[in-house]
């Protein structure tokens, strides 16, 4: 059982670090927000693996459910659409 736990930890550690690097390195704000969601969900999986289910639930509810939704709304509200741009006459 220890080998399976170690492999699961290594897999989710790679996902966490990779998506966290993606948040910093990606130029598109929308993709950075999605990668932040992946990183936060992966941290919640680490909490479950540590048998801290309450922390995992709070991680998903507060951070993924709250903060990520706020970031998504901010991205949608501040993004300029092609129809908003004025065409020079």
């Amino acid at each position: 059982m220890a080998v399976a736990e170690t492999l699961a930890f290594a897999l989710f550690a790679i996902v966490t670090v990779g998506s966290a690097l993606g948040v910093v390195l990606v130029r598109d704000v929308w993709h950075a927000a999605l990668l932040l969601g992946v990183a936060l969900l992966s941290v919640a999986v680490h909490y479950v693996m540590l048998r801290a289910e309450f922390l995992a639930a709070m991680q998903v509810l507060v951070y993924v459910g709250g903060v990520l939704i706020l970031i998504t709304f901010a991205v949608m509200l501040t993004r300029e659409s092609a129809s908003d741009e004025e065409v020079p006459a």
Side-chain angles (χ1 to χ4, degrees), residues 13-89:
I14 290 170
V15 170
T16 304
V17 171
S19 60
L21 282 173
V23 169
V24 176
L25 298 176
V26 170
R27 295 180 70 70
D28 186 27
V29 179
W30 179 251
H31 288 110
L34 291 176
L35 286 169
L36 179 64
V38 171
L40 292 174
L41 284 173
S42 182
V43 169
V45 171
H46 284 290
Y47 285 144
V48 170
M49 290 171 57
L50 290 171
R51 290 173 179 78
E53 291 84 8
F54 179 75
L55 283 178
M58 290 300 106
Q59 174 83 15
V60 171
L61 288 175
V62 173
Y63 289 110
V64 179
V67 174
L68 198 61
I69 294 299
L70 286 174
I71 291 172
T72 303
F73 285 151
V75 167
M76 289 190 316
L77 288 174
T78 59
R79 197 171 255 201
E80 293 181 14
S81 64
S83 63
D84 290 343
E85 296 175 6
E86 293 186 25
V87 179

Side-chain angles (χ1 to χ4, degrees), residues 5-18:
E5 290 177 1
T6 304
L7 288 175
F9 174 80
L11 174 70
F12 283 106
I14 290 170
V15 170
T16 304
V17 171

